[in-house]
Amino acid sequence: MDWKKIKKILIIALLVANSVLFFYTKYNDFRLRNESTRRDFVREVTALLAEKNIELDTKIPRQTKKLPSVLVSFETSSEEDINDRYFKGAGKVERPSTDLAEISLGDEYINLVNGRRAFYENRKKENNFKIDNLEEAQNIAQKFLLDKKYDTRDIYLSYYKIDGDKYILNYTKVFDSIPVESSYTNFVIDARGVMSMDRLWLDVLDKSDQKIYLYPAPRALLSLLNKTEYYNKTIEKISPCFYFNPEDQGYIEDITRAVNGRAIPAWKVKFTDGEYTVLSNY
């Protein structure tokens, strides 16, 4: 028996089988993308969502999209850095636990969790501003960030709410004009200025050369049918985003313990009440 000839035949057969499997997978992906973006499929998805009282105040994207993945890491700060940013080094620093630093000066307090999440609170009573509109509230937030030496070129206002004399402003990280989830810098502002700021930010280190197809938006929306927390809501926006999920690294209870990872393309679904979810097929 000619083992060399048999080995050669087996190698060729294996290569052919792999090629067939590769092209079948690509064809199946293309077919699913094509079927999932048909108008009649979109109408079916809309009807199924309506059965759960999930209404649409926007169009479901039908076009297929390809985006790179991006390597991200959480913005980190030491208590010395925070003390310098906020109080020019004059604040009082305490360490009640290994994962928490408390920095304060007068009526201003900051909790720094795992060197990543910074929560600022202003307990002053005197009013310093007369805020008449959203733009003025945004100007106060922007000036606060600049005064504390934060970069404001990579933020956008993703949600706001006016509650009496308070302005609630939620900002999200953007990279190449696309939101990076889940990152946030959230403000509560009133006549005193910034009452509080809660910040957990992501830095983009690199992006991949290879691009990934997003799961078709109509098919991705079907996953909402099994999520009762989104019933009786109205979708106002469906847009691509980069999604970093620290739970993939095992940080389920405290995502601030995560260090870095890969943010992948996904769909961000925003509701009219300000809540949002991210739909990903990876």
Side-chain angles (χ1 to χ4, degrees):
M1 186 177 292
D2 192 343
W3 287 108
K4 286 187 178 180
K5 187 176 291 185
I6 292 174
K7 186 177 178 181
K8 186 176 181 181
I9 292 171
L10 289 173
I11 291 172
I12 293 172
L14 184 61
L15 290 173
V16 170
N18 285 339
S19 298
V20 170
L21 181 61
F22 173 79
F23 285 111
Y24 172 78
T25 303
K26 290 294 181 182
Y27 167 76
N28 199 42
D29 287 346
F30 174 79
R31 180 179 59 80
L32 286 173
R33 287 198 303 270
N34 192 44
E35 291 179 356
S36 300
T37 55
R38 294 196 327 261
R39 292 185 185 277
D40 57 343
F41 185 81
V42 172
R43 285 193 292 268
E44 290 175 15
V45 171
T46 302
L48 289 170
L49 292 172
E51 290 179 7
K52 304 297 184 182
N53 292 320
I54 303 174
E55 303 296 330
L56 284 158
D57 192 24
T58 185
K59 290 184 178 180
I60 299 177
R62 292 177 55 242
Q63 71 275 23
T64 57
K65 283 187 172 290
K66 290 177 71 176
L67 291 172
S69 63
V70 293
L71 181 64
V72 297
S73 67
F74 278 116
E75 174 185 86
T76 59
S77 302
S78 65
E79 51 263 50
E80 291 79 15
D81 175 52
I82 292 294
N83 194 5
D84 180 61
R85 280 176 185 264
Y86 288 78
F87 306 131
K88 298 181 179 178
K92 178 183 177 182
V93 179
E94 294 181 335
R95 268 282 188 180
S97 64
T98 56
D99 58 357
L100 176 65
E102 296 177 347
I103 307 98
S104 62
L105 181 65
D107 294 318
E108 296 177 277
Y109 299 81
I110 301 154
N111 286 342
L112 181 65
V113 182
N114 289 317
R116 297 179 179 88
R117 182 180 179 183
F119 181 79
Y120 166 88
E121 184 181 7
N122 172 14
R123 299 179 187 174
K124 294 178 181 178
K125 301 297 183 182
E126 65 270 18
N127 294 337
N128 297 311
F129 300 92
K130 184 178 183 299
I131 308 172
D132 295 319
N133 52 55
L134 175 63
E135 183 179 358
E136 291 179 1
Q138 284 188 267
N139 288 340
I140 291 171
Q142 292 268 353
K143 185 177 186 303
F144 182 90
L145 289 172
L146 290 171
D147 287 347
K148 310 311 179 193
K149 302 176 185 176
Y150 290 113
D151 192 347
T152 60
R153 294 171 297 178
D154 61 348
I155 68 172
Y156 89 103
L157 184 67
S158 55
Y159 171 76
Y160 75 90
K161 178 182 179 181
I162 302 174
D163 182 12
D165 61 349
K166 293 180 183 178
Y167 288 78
I168 299 168
L169 310 180
N170 293 352
Y171 290 90
T172 301
K173 165 91 174 185
V174 289
F175 176 74
D176 284 352
S177 301
I178 297 173
V180 182
E181 301 292 348
S182 299
S183 63
Y184 56 82
T185 299
N186 297 340
F187 287 94
V188 178
I189 293 172
D190 67 3
R192 295 176 299 166
V194 174
M195 291 174 59
S196 67
M197 183 200 75
D198 189 4
R199 180 178 173 94
L200 181 64
W201 210 240
L202 286 168
D203 294 323
V204 174
L205 306 178
D206 195 12
K207 69 176 180 179
S208 65
D209 294 326
Q210 184 178 5
K211 293 188 176 182
I212 304 169
Y213 269 110
L214 272 80
Y215 209 51
R219 188 171 292 275
L221 287 170
L222 291 175
S223 65
L224 296 178
L225 299 176
N226 298 320
K227 300 179 179 179
T228 57
E229 63 269 31
Y230 301 123
Y231 292 0
N232 305 306
K233 289 180 178 287
T234 299
I235 298 171
E236 70 173 12
K237 190 174 183 181
I238 305 165
S239 57
C241 71
F242 296 115
Y243 180 49
F244 173 52
N245 184 7
E247 291 185 11
D248 292 341
Q249 298 185 21
Y251 300 103
I252 297 174
E253 295 182 358
D254 187 359
I255 66 172
T256 64
R257 292 183 181 275
V259 179
N260 57 42
R262 185 69 58 176
I264 59 174
W267 291 104
K268 179 178 180 178
V269 178
K270 183 181 175 185
F271 300 93
T272 53
D273 63 358
E275 190 174 359
Y276 75 88
T277 187
V278 176
L279 306 179
S280 169
N281 60 307
Y282 295 98

